[in-house]
Amino acid sequence: MIKPTIPKGTRDFSPEIVRRRNYIFQIIRTVFEKYGFQPLETPAMEDMSTLTGKYGEEGDKLMFRILDNGDIIEKAKQAKDNKELSSLLCGKALRYDLTIPFARYVVMHQNEIAFPFKRYQIQPVWRADRPQKGRYREFYQCDADIVGSDSLINETELLSIYDQVFSSLGIKGFELRVNNRKILSGLAEMIGRPELLTDITIAIDKLDKIGLEGVKNELEERGLDKISIEKIEKFLNIQGGGEEKLAQLQALLHDSVTAQKGMEELKEVLFSGNIPLQVKPRLDQTLARGLNYYTGIIIEAKAPAAVKIGSIGGGGRYDDLTGLFGLSGISGVGISFGVDRIYDVLEELNLFPDVVQQSTQVLFLQMDKESLPIIFPLLQKLRENNIASEVYPDQVKFDKQMKYANKRSIPFVAIIGESERAENAVSLKNMQSGKQEKIPMENMLNHLKAQL
RNA sequence: GUGGCUGUAGCUCAGUUGGUUAGAGCAUCAGAUUGUGGUUCUGAGGGUCGUGGGUUCGAACCCCAUCAGCCACCCCA
């Protein structure tokens, strides 16, 4: 016998968990659709050439490669090192995110697509990372992107989507933070080290986690001198309301054309829109977000401070994403929802509605064979009226059938035995209240409709 | 890739300085109750103590190796 296990970093989702996850997916999907986004699905695997080099060195390492079929021994012998070996033997890999496959799709279908193209995609992605808390090797991403439009209206709409989704889920106290990569670029320019933009963003990104001193140490390790670090510190310490912050940033970064452009964009998104939002996005110049390909506005959605989960979504604008596949000049902006973390937030705040758990509404107990010809037409009638119902398939002890109904949280149990048959009635038990009443068979549907 | 912690019943965990037959709660099954669940009571089944080696008269316990899981770092969602 083999001990049953699943691969590291993967999970089974039991029925009640799937239901809760579907509840989240369904709300996100509905909102995406409401904003005019179209669904897209791409294959679980992509050609290696599509994926390699798109996520940096680290990304290549974390890619799940798929071993080719056929006679690979001969090929393997030609390899000089591991890296060459995998490129010789693995023509395909599991997708690492949804953005690159999307870019590939856009380029391949550019002649059919009506631009600006708004698509959403909810599918799993795979990373050969070492799993830890809240990080898995297989997990879902929920992305919505718009390509082929430079308008900042898109950014506003995406912020509005975050607002809608979180409000619909009943999450109160979430935060939306906004920044612009151009401002960070301007900062790097100002201290005369534009080539260190990535190092600076990575360090700044950790501010929440390691604090100001930690960031300063990290910057030093990444090769910045004291004067530069002082300037960055000054930048990070800017406080106040949005307009105040902008004014101070303006003063600090007045020499950088790039930064000025970034601030213009932010101003337009944050202060000129009339879109009513439940939660006002906040300018946070310390927001960096790891991904390198962002070039404009960056967005982060944070869970309510009380739950200590941090980011539950993020996104931003990236210029020229499709350029990698030979279609240049197309800008994109997108957001992503972190479903696993949102799940934890809802769980912790007890925000899953009870109805999410219900599947079958009515269970017919099987008392004897004679009742089956009565039960089947009733089942059909209920199902035609969208009332999920089933009959217990085996004729076992009453007690056992009741326990089954209870365990499955089925709200109503229908009993038709000898005495019910004699009266042309059905005994209907409300499992929550424990009350049971005998009602005429033809009234069953209306009776249930009234109570469900 | 680097470091730390933990592996005992299906699950969560006890287990004395190394000493008879390794325990509990939950879950499962059966009975109390052949037409009434969720609460109760009674009973039962379930273990190569992760695996392999070593020390010892004797190992769940000590040592070594190995595998697996968890956590942190790097990076990221």
Side-chain angles (χ1 to χ4, degrees):
Chain A
M1 199 192 70
I2 304 159
K3 197 179 179 185
T5 56
I6 55 174
K8 191 197 292 203
T10 65
R11 296 162 290 171
D12 286 325
F13 298 115
S14 295
E16 64 272 23
I17 297 173
V18 174
R19 282 187 196 286
R20 290 195 210 124
R21 287 170 62 87
N22 282 347
Y23 165 75
I24 298 170
F25 287 138
Q26 172 247 323
I27 284 182
I28 293 174
R29 188 174 292 123
T30 308
V31 174
F32 284 164
E33 290 275 353
K34 248 191 261 186
Y35 281 72
F37 286 76
Q38 304 193 73
L40 177 71
E41 292 191 14
T42 63
M45 66 192 92
E46 293 277 349
D47 285 337
M48 207 59 165
S49 55
T50 304
L51 302 179
T52 42
K54 307 298 190 299
Y55 309 103
E57 207 178 313
E58 196 70 24
D60 287 352
K61 261 193 231 159
L62 298 181
M63 206 106 68
F64 263 109
R65 291 156 216 279
I66 298 171
L67 188 63
D68 290 340
N69 293 335
D71 186 16
I72 51 174
I73 291 277
E74 279 310 309
K75 276 201 218 166
K77 284 177 185 159
Q78 297 164 24
K80 291 184 190 69
D81 55 34
N82 283 346
K83 207 176 163 187
E84 213 180 294
L85 185 71
S86 70
S87 72
L88 281 168
L89 302 187
C90 306
K92 301 171 278 327
L94 294 175
R95 67 169 165 252
Y96 183 85
D97 74 354
L98 300 177
T99 309
I100 294 295
F102 173 52
R104 191 223 80 222
Y105 171 88
V106 168
V107 175
M108 277 179 77
H109 296 82
Q110 52 185 290
N111 296 327
E112 308 148 29
I113 294 173
F115 290 100
F117 181 46
K118 299 162 76 173
R119 86 84 173 78
Y120 70 89
Q121 193 169 352
I122 302 177
Q123 287 189 282
V125 303
W126 294 269
R127 295 184 188 176
D129 204 356
R130 188 177 284 202
Q132 51 180 285
K133 197 183 178 104
R135 281 172 73 178
Y136 305 95
R137 294 182 135 186
E138 178 185 64
F139 61 97
Y140 271 75
Q141 288 193 332
C142 298
D143 284 17
D145 293 80
I146 303 142
V147 290
S149 166
D150 294 331
S151 168
L152 292 168
I153 287 175
N154 299 312
E155 272 84 340
T156 314
E157 287 274 276
L158 291 173
L159 283 169
S160 176
I161 285 180
Y162 270 133
D163 194 68
Q164 276 287 311
V165 167
F166 294 140
S167 304
S168 301
L169 289 170
I171 301 174
K172 293 200 178 73
F174 63 91
E175 294 173 44
L176 296 177
R177 296 190 188 180
V178 175
N179 194 15
N180 197 317
R181 264 293 162 82
K182 293 192 175 86
I183 290 177
L184 297 170
S185 298
L187 178 69
E189 271 173 38
M190 185 191 77
I191 58 177
R193 304 296 294 274
E195 78 281 3
L196 287 183
L197 174 61
T198 305
D199 291 275
I200 294 171
T201 51
I202 288 174
I204 290 180
D205 201 32
K206 294 180 187 166
L207 183 65
D208 275 354
K209 217 175 189 177
I210 59 179
L212 183 60
E213 287 310 308
V215 172
K216 284 162 74 180
N217 289 336
E218 176 115 10
L219 287 168
E220 200 176 338
E221 279 163 30
R222 287 175 183 269
L224 284 129
D225 56 42
K226 274 228 157 60
I227 298 168
S228 304
I229 293 175
E230 262 171 45
K231 284 180 182 167
I232 293 173
E233 185 175 0
K234 212 169 159 189
F235 170 85
L236 293 176
N237 277 334
I238 290 176
Q239 308 273 329
E243 315 245 10
E244 274 174 73
K245 275 188 183 172
L246 269 182
Q248 290 185 60
L249 287 169
Q250 199 101 23
L252 190 69
L253 301 170
H254 60 276
D255 286 338
S256 165
V257 181
T258 317
Q260 296 299 326
K261 179 84 175 33
M263 282 180 253
E264 286 302 311
E265 292 177 4
L266 274 177
K267 215 181 278 179
E268 195 174 330
V269 171
L270 289 174
F271 307 122
S272 68
N274 292 318
I275 312 265
L277 296 177
Q278 317 254 351
V279 167
K280 213 175 159 197
R282 258 190 27 215
L283 167 60
D284 178 0
Q285 81 282 6
T286 70
L287 176 65
R289 293 200 56 80
L291 288 175
N292 280 325
Y293 51 69
Y294 290 134
T295 51
I297 300 261
I298 44 184
I299 302 169
E300 181 160 85
K302 293 196 83 175
V307 292
K308 290 184 183 138
I309 277 177
S311 172
I312 48 176
R317 182 175 284 275
Y318 37 88
D319 291 330
D320 202 32
L321 185 75
T322 54
L324 293 161
F325 299 109
L327 179 64
S328 51
I330 293 202
S331 167
V333 57
I335 53 169
S336 185
F337 285 88
V339 181
D340 294 299
R341 287 187 174 180
I342 292 172
Y343 183 101
D344 292 342
V345 171
L346 295 188
E347 184 96 310
E348 194 163 333
L349 298 177
N350 209 5
L351 291 175
F352 284 110
D354 290 341
V355 287
V356 168
Q357 261 354 324
Q358 283 180 15
S359 54
T360 293
Q361 313 262 47
V362 183
L363 177 76
F364 286 86
L365 301 197
Q366 194 178 148
M367 309 300 294
D368 50 33
K369 283 249 170 340
E370 288 70 32
S371 288
L372 286 174
I374 303 169
I375 288 172
F376 283 119
L378 283 172
L379 273 175
Q380 196 173 5
K381 194 167 159 195
L382 293 181
R383 288 167 180 165
E384 275 166 6
N385 283 274
N386 288 321
I387 297 174
S389 40
E390 59 183 302
V391 57
Y392 194 92
D394 302 294
Q395 217 184 100
V396 295
K397 286 204 327 188
F398 201 98
D399 173 71
K400 190 163 177 171
Q401 301 193 42
M402 288 298 285
K403 275 185 177 156
Y404 177 79
N406 189 61
K407 208 166 175 184
R408 294 249 335 251
S409 317
I410 295 172
F412 287 96
V413 162
I415 303 157
I416 303 175
E418 210 179 330
S419 65
E420 284 84 2
R421 277 204 304 277
E423 297 173 50
N424 201 29
V426 51
S427 291
L428 202 57
K429 176 155 184 168
N430 181 322
M431 292 298 278
Q432 212 181 347
S433 67
K435 276 185 193 151
Q436 180 171 323
E437 40 189 337
K438 206 180 266 187
I439 52 176
M441 224 169 259
E442 62 270 22
N443 291 352
M444 186 183 185
L445 178 63
N446 287 333
H447 192 87
L448 278 169
K449 271 186 173 169
Q451 293 201 38
L452 284 171

